[in-house]
Amino acid sequence: MAVALTVCMTACGDDPVSGDGEKGGNGGDGGDGGEGVSEEVLTPAENKVKFERIASDVLAQFTPSDHEAVLTAINDFADLADNGGLEIDRNVYRSVIAMMNSMADVCGDNNLGRMMDFTRAGSDLYRAAQYYGIYTYNNGYWTKEESDSKLEFRFTTYDERSVVATATTSGSEVTFWRATDDGEELAVPEHAKASITVDGKMVCAVNVDAQLNASAKSAIVKADLDASGYTFNCTVNATSSKATADLALKKNGTNIISASAEVNGQRMTDPSQSDEDNPQNLFNSANSRVNILDDAYITAYCSNIKELVDELDAIDDKYDWTQDELCYKEQAEVINNSVIMTLYYTNSSAAQATLGVQAYLDYSYFDSYYNQNIEYWEHEAIITFADESKYSLDEYFDDDVTFGNLIDSYEELENQYSDYLSYF
C-alpha cells in the first residue's frame, strides 16, 4: 500500500489496495503467465526507473484547471455560509459542509478513497438531503424559500459566477437505529444526488443508489462522481459474512486507478454488543488489489484479521513503556508474517518486491526522574526486492537522489489544486 501511495502520488490517497485471494500467488489477471508475458525480475535500480515512469504517467493525467470551477464554488460557499449569516439548523450546516468537503477531497486530491464517504449509512449526503429549503445569498445575506422536494443553495462566487448546489433524495427509505452510546437514527434513501452547476454548466454530480435488505442484513451501495471528464466510482456489497468494495478512477475513459477489496467474517452487518468493544471478532480473511494505469499492481492478503489484531494487542500488553524497542520489533515480525503484500508489473508474472514494516527509533531523551534514557519506537514501511535487498521507503524514494524532480512535480500539482481551496 505504501508503494502504491508513492507510485500513484495524487491518485491513491487512502484507498484500499486489493488482491486475488491467493496468499503468495501470482496476483491474478495481470501476471498469470502466458504468451508474451515476461518473467524478468528487475533490480532495485531498474525498479526505480520504472516507478518514476509510471508515477510520471499518473501525474500527467491530472490537470488542476479542470476542477477550478467546482473547487472555487465549494470554497466560496464555505466562506459565504460561515461569514454570511446563513440561518440554518446546525446539523444541516455541518452535513452540507462535510458533504462538500468530501467532494472537494475527491476532486482536489483525486482521492478515490473518499468515495467511501458517500456509501456509508451515516453519509452526510443522506443527512443533508433530508432537509428542504432553497437558500439564496444576495447583498451579504441569505434568504430562505420553502421547498417540499430539495435542499438548494444559490449564490455568486467572488469572481461573479452563478452557482447552484443541490441535494435531493428519491425512492423508498429504510430507517434504522445504530447502536451507539446515545443511539442514532439513520435514514438511507434508495437514491440520493448532489450536484453543483456554475453558470448553468454541471461541474460536479454525485449519484448514490442503495439496495438494502433489512431482514437479510445486506446492502449494495453504488456511488458515482462525475466532474469534468473525471469519473470516480465505488461499489460496496455487504452481507453478514462477506463484504467487497470496488473502486475506479477514469479520465475521459482512460483507466488510471482501479482497486478492489474483500473481507470475510461473521455478524459484519449485525454486530453483537461484545463486538462493539472487540471489532476484530467480526473479521476473518481479507485480500485486496490495486491496479495503476494497467501497468503495475499490488496485491495484499491476510489470512486471519482477528488473530493478527489479538496477537498485536497481546504483544502490546506484554511490554511496559520502557520496552518500546522489543514491543515494536516483535509486532513488526507478526505483521510481516500475517500480511503478504506483493508488487507486480502487468506484463510480468514475476513478483518484483514485497512490502512490510520494520521498527525504528523515532526519538529518545534522558529522563532525570527515572535516571534513564527513554526511547520511543514506531513502525515504518519497507520494500524488499527479489535480490533480498531491503530499504525503508524514505530511504528508497529519496527526493535528493532519483525522485527529486518527480516529487517537485507532484508538489507543484498539489499546490495548484490547493490554490482553489484557500478557505479550507
Side-chain angles (χ1 to χ4, degrees), residues 1-17 55 58 111 257 290 292 298 355 381 393 397 410:
M1 190 184 299
V3 168
L5 294 175
T6 306
V7 172
C8 299
M9 293 297 190
T10 57
C12 280
D14 60 349
D15 319 17
V17 295
V58 170
N111 188 339
I257 297 292
V290 60
I292 307 151
I298 296 172
L355 299 111
L393 291 193
F397 295 101
Y410 164 69

Side-chain angles (χ1 to χ4, degrees), residues 169-288:
T169 63
S170 60
S172 60
E173 189 176 82
V174 176
T175 303
F176 60 94
W177 282 88
R178 180 163 60 182
T180 61
D181 290 341
D182 300 323
E184 182 181 16
E185 186 178 77
L186 298 174
V188 179
E190 189 175 359
H191 309 289
K193 180 178 181 178
S195 64
I196 299 174
T197 64
V198 176
D199 286 338
K201 179 181 178 181
M202 184 77 70
V203 295
C204 186
V206 181
N207 291 280
V208 184
D209 298 312
Q211 302 175 37
L212 303 184
N213 187 320
S215 60
K217 307 290 185 184
S218 65
I220 301 175
V221 185
K222 189 177 190 305
D224 300 298
L225 185 149
D226 193 335
S228 304
Y230 299 75
T231 57
F232 303 80
N233 311 112
C234 176
T235 300
V236 174
N237 189 335
T239 69
S240 182
S241 60
K242 179 179 177 180
T244 62
D246 295 282
L247 301 99
L249 164 57
K250 298 180 181 181
K251 181 185 179 184
N252 297 326
T254 298
N255 293 317
I256 302 176
I257 297 292
S258 62
S260 61
E262 176 184 311
V263 62
N264 300 286
Q266 50 281 318
R267 305 185 306 282
M268 292 194 298
T269 56
D270 188 25
S272 66
Q273 187 62 46
S274 62
D275 295 326
E276 298 292 329
D277 297 325
N278 297 282
Q280 69 270 22
N281 292 341
L282 303 173
F283 308 117
N284 297 333
S285 64
N287 65 82
S288 54

Side-chain angles (χ1 to χ4, degrees), residues 120-136:
R120 298 191 176 107
S123 164
D124 287 295
L125 170 56
Y126 295 160
R127 294 172 187 266
Q130 290 178 10
Y131 298 89
Y132 298 152
I134 299 173
Y135 295 82
T136 303

Side-chain angles (χ1 to χ4, degrees), residues 329-350:
K329 285 184 175 180
E330 189 170 341
Q331 285 183 331
E333 183 177 358
V334 169
I335 293 170
N336 292 333
N337 288 333
S338 301
V339 182
I340 309 301
M341 303 182 68
T342 311
L343 168 70
Y344 298 88
Y345 296 124
T346 305
N347 63 349
S348 174
S349 60

Side-chain angles (χ1 to χ4, degrees), residues 113-155:
R114 285 302 294 270
M115 288 299 295
M116 295 290 289
D117 289 359
F118 299 108
T119 66
R120 298 191 176 107
S123 164
D124 287 295
L125 170 56
Y126 295 160
R127 294 172 187 266
Q130 290 178 10
Y131 298 89
Y132 298 152
I134 299 173
Y135 295 82
T136 303
Y137 183 82
N138 192 26
N139 296 323
Y141 296 97
W142 290 90
T143 58
K144 180 182 178 181
E145 175 186 343
E146 295 299 326
S147 171
D148 60 1
S149 62
K150 63 183 176 181
L151 176 66
E152 186 167 277
F153 299 93
R154 302 172 182 175
F155 61 96

